[in-house]
Amino acid sequence: MPETAEAFDCRSLYVPMRDGVRLAVSVLMPAGFTGKRPALAVFTRYGRATRAGILAIPFSESLAFMREGFVVVSVDVRGTGASFGRRLVEKGREEIRDYGEIFDWIVAQPWSDGRIVSTGVSYLGNACEAALINNHPALVAVAPRFTDFDLYEHLLFPGGMPDVAFALAWAEMTATLDRGETLEVSASDREAAERSKIAAAAVDGDDGTLFRAAIAEHGNQNGLAERFARIVFRDDGGKPAANGDRAVDLCDAAAEIVAGARPAFHWASWLDAGTAAGVLARFHTLDMPMRIKIGAWNHGAMQDASPYTPVDTPPVPDRPSQIREIAAFFHARLAGEPLPARKSIEYFTLGAGCWRATQVWPPVGLAVRDWYFDAEDCLSDAPGATGHDSYHVDFAASSGKANRWTTQLGRDVDYRDRRAADAVLKTYTSAPLSGALEITGTPLATLQVASNRTDGNFIVYLAEVAPNGRVTYLTEGGLRALHRAVSDAPARYVRPGPNRSFLRADATPLVPGEFATLCFPLLPLSVVIKAGHRLRVSLAGADDGIFERLPPEGDADWTIARGAGQISFVRLPCAPWTP
């Protein structure tokens, strides 16, 4: 069916909330539809799916879901788009209450059969999962995709390292949207652009008056860049806003999510920030029915991001197939069918190019194997002689500008041959593998290291080195040394590695020249390394343009201890590969 104006009806209106704030809502259904259907609700920070928006893009998820039997309800969350209200926190308690009131409105509509599902990517996925907190009787199932279970550790401050690449760009983008400035135009074109912008965002019947009033009410509300710059510790960002509203991190609302549990279909990627770590944390922590799918995609699964395929390779499954799979999940739940297993994971293994399934994690048959830093830059399967290596931190070191930390800005992932990148890092490389090796799970790095500074980013990359010298990125992990203290307090959720609070009270600077043990997880993965290829571990103190430079100025010099006395190593969950 062609995506034409005749194929669908898209109507929009304002729906008032309990405090009088009016939210802009678009309703998409087949042209001339007069029956009843379940609703698919989407809550967005980036502009709801209007008729103009649907017709302007090559592939519309909203239209695809409509064709799968849903009435699609798309909402500008308060303080964004054409909705009124001010936004003093992101995804606050007041916004989450709005989701429940929108559900109330949906079930009262003549086209509603009284049942609701919800999905979305990124912020939209976070929202559909947060909607479980309301425990609304009409909500049947959710499909959160590429979401941030722990916003601090899985995106903004992985290992406590400030992710300035994402945070500052997202702050600028959302501030621009909140001002209604969606286009860069010349003065002569400004009037036409303004009309176009209003037509694409305003509710039906609005000549622009209400849209302009909503934008004015948003005011200069954002300030995210300034707020991010003030955060070092987890508790720096947890304060309520001036109006008493408080942001909600999903990991902190775990008990409420479980109390409102509905079957959930989570999507994530081994190569998209910490989304895979987040779904695995849910798998171990949340007592609720869930199906998990982890692929090798960019953010949103619009690109095959595997470093073993060309950068422009289309995703598998493709986007229409993804929608059909999610719709099938919803229809089965709407029909009252239970999940085949209460919890299950379907995951893609890089290097082998295959999908596999499990109901336990890590999968059965894997064992941990330690790989030790050794003399002459070797990575060995047993501790070598005691010794020390030096590394002068290169603050221009970079993982590129199209990586797992930038893809959440709508970019592809492109980890090409890392030979040049590794040349400025401290590397340890194994002998060629005698047989193919599978690594599936979460690697753990332990560094015995001394620095001449009191703080710094300590980053570990895991890579494969082919016989021709090509270096293929596999995963990474890091720790800001200030956060190295291990906490005795109960963990917020189940996760691998030492329990760290990242709280101000637990700050532990390095003592210059004194060795410290830094133990931290790398991000999870599933990969097969071919026989004859080698493993490589690379150490970095910077990822230029991605993480904030620490220290802000001056040099940093490390001494890495290795051998039987002070062991530095990586622990890999692995097993011989048998196809």
Side-chain angles (χ1 to χ4, degrees):
M1 182 185 297
E3 296 188 2
T4 66
E6 291 73 31
F8 63 90
D9 288 334
C10 188
R11 309 162 189 168
S12 59
L13 70 161
Y14 278 113
V15 176
M17 297 292 100
R18 63 206 163 276
D19 54 1
V21 169
R22 291 170 289 175
L23 302 188
V25 176
S26 290
V27 181
L28 175 69
M29 63 181 67
F33 179 72
T34 58
K36 292 182 180 290
R37 282 186 170 189
L40 184 144
V42 178
F43 300 95
T44 181
R45 176 81 175 81
Y46 308 119
R48 71 195 189 284
T50 62
R51 178 189 299 273
I54 290 169
L55 292 173
I57 57 180
F59 177 79
S60 166
E61 278 199 8
S62 295
L63 204 56
F65 277 119
M66 182 202 77
R67 291 172 179 157
E68 291 292 335
F70 300 97
V71 172
V72 179
V73 178
S74 183
V75 183
D76 285 338
V77 297
R78 64 169 54 211
T80 75
S83 288
F84 286 81
R86 281 183 58 76
R87 192 168 189 82
L88 300 182
V89 298
E90 292 296 327
K91 200 173 69 221
R93 287 282 174 181
E94 291 303 307
E95 179 182 318
I96 293 172
R97 288 181 65 189
D98 292 343
Y99 305 161
E101 294 191 15
I102 290 293
F103 291 167
D104 290 339
W105 177 84
I106 287 173
V107 297
Q109 302 311 300
W111 43 260
S112 170
D113 72 358
R115 299 176 299 169
I116 301 169
V117 296
S118 185
T119 189
V121 168
S122 197
Y123 189 100
L124 292 68
N126 291 340
C128 83
E129 186 172 15
L132 296 173
I133 292 172
N134 294 306
N135 196 15
H136 196 282
L139 184 61
V140 174
V142 296
R145 293 176 281 158
F146 306 92
T147 55
D148 308 300
F149 185 59
D150 183 341
L151 193 60
Y152 185 95
E153 287 193 60
H154 295 153
L155 180 61
L156 294 177
F157 295 87
M161 303 183 300
D163 178 1
V164 293
F166 173 80
L168 299 183
W170 195 78
E172 181 179 359
M173 179 190 71
T174 52
T176 299
L177 289 173
D178 293 348
R179 294 191 298 267
E181 299 170 4
T182 58
L183 297 172
E184 291 291 337
V185 297
S186 65
S188 60
D189 294 333
R190 190 165 292 130
E191 184 177 348
E194 180 74 7
R195 288 195 302 270
S196 175
K197 178 179 63 182
I198 292 171
V203 300
D204 293 351
D206 178 21
D207 62 1
T209 301
L210 291 174
F211 177 76
R212 293 187 187 95
I215 295 298
E217 191 165 299
H218 300 169
N220 186 20
Q221 64 183 1
N222 196 278
L224 288 174
E226 293 78 10
R227 277 184 264 168
F228 178 82
R230 292 195 297 268
I231 295 175
V232 174
F233 303 96
R234 186 187 283 275
D235 43 344
D236 291 340
K239 301 176 178 63
N243 63 353
D245 200 3
R246 186 184 292 269
V248 175
D249 205 351
L250 293 172
C251 68
D252 293 333
E256 295 173 275
I257 291 171
V258 170
R262 304 292 192 275
F265 187 8
H266 292 277
W267 290 59
S269 169
W270 301 126
L271 295 149
D272 174 25
T275 60
V279 295
L280 294 174
R282 291 175 176 90
F283 183 83
H284 289 299
T285 304
L286 303 183
D287 183 15
M288 59 183 288
M290 65 179 70
R291 175 184 170 190
I292 290 171
K293 192 180 186 84
I294 309 175
W297 305 298
N298 70 339
H299 191 58
M302 293 178 286
Q303 172 223 7
D304 179 344
S306 168
Y308 295 92
T309 59
V311 70
D312 57 352
T313 300
V316 177
D318 63 14
R319 295 189 71 195
S321 298
Q322 294 171 31
I323 301 304
R324 288 193 292 271
E325 188 172 352
I326 295 165
F329 171 85
F330 283 149
H331 283 303
R333 308 291 82 75
L334 289 164
E337 298 176 17
L339 289 174
R342 181 170 174 80
K343 292 184 181 182
S344 64
I345 300 174
E346 182 183 10
Y347 64 99
F348 184 80
T349 299
L350 288 79
C354 64
W355 287 91
R356 294 184 288 170
T358 181
Q359 294 178 31
V360 295
W361 194 265
V364 174
L366 296 158
V368 295
R369 181 177 175 185
D370 294 339
W371 296 80
Y372 301 90
F373 300 0
D374 207 344
E376 299 181 355
D377 299 334
C378 290
L379 192 65
S380 304
D381 57 5
T386 300
H388 297 88
D389 297 321
S390 298
Y391 176 57
H392 180 73
V393 173
D394 189 325
F395 288 101
S398 172
S399 63
K401 305 304 179 187
N403 58 39
R404 70 186 311 134
W405 305 111
T406 61
T407 186
Q408 297 214 0
L409 299 170
R411 302 174 189 172
D412 285 351
V413 175
D414 183 8
Y415 284 113
R416 298 188 186 272
D417 190 343
R418 277 186 55 86
R419 266 178 283 201
D422 274 1
V424 298
L425 307 183
K426 180 59 183 173
T427 63
Y428 298 89
T429 308
S430 75
L433 298 176
S434 59
L437 183 71
E438 175 191 355
I439 306 170
T440 295
T442 301
L444 193 67
T446 297
L447 306 181
Q448 305 289 346
V449 63
S451 173
N452 65 332
R453 309 304 295 260
T454 60
D455 197 9
N457 296 325
F458 290 79
I459 305 169
V460 171
Y461 296 100
L462 180 66
E464 168 197 341
V465 183
N468 65 2
R470 177 184 170 88
V471 179
T472 300
Y473 170 96
L474 300 178
T475 190
E476 67 185 77
L479 178 67
R480 181 174 181 174
L482 185 66
H483 299 294
R484 64 192 173 94
V486 177
S487 174
D488 294 328
R492 292 169 178 262
Y493 53 87
V494 178
R495 57 177 179 247
N499 177 33
R500 291 190 168 88
S501 72
F502 297 95
L503 299 177
R504 184 174 292 275
D506 289 331
T508 308
L510 294 171
V511 177
E514 184 175 298
F515 278 96
T517 300
L518 305 182
C519 182
F520 52 90
L522 278 61
L523 290 161
L525 79 163
S526 181
V527 66
V528 171
I529 311 298
K530 295 179 181 179
H533 292 226
R534 295 175 291 164
L535 291 173
R536 174 172 288 176
V537 173
S538 302
L539 309 185
D543 190 348
D544 186 38
I546 304 300
F547 299 118
E548 180 182 326
R549 188 193 197 280
L550 295 172
E553 56 186 23
D555 292 338
D557 292 289
W558 300 351
T559 301
I560 302 119
R562 51 175 170 74
Q566 290 180 302
I567 300 175
S568 295
F569 65 99
V570 291
R571 176 164 291 169
L572 302 181
C574 57
W577 170 248
T578 52

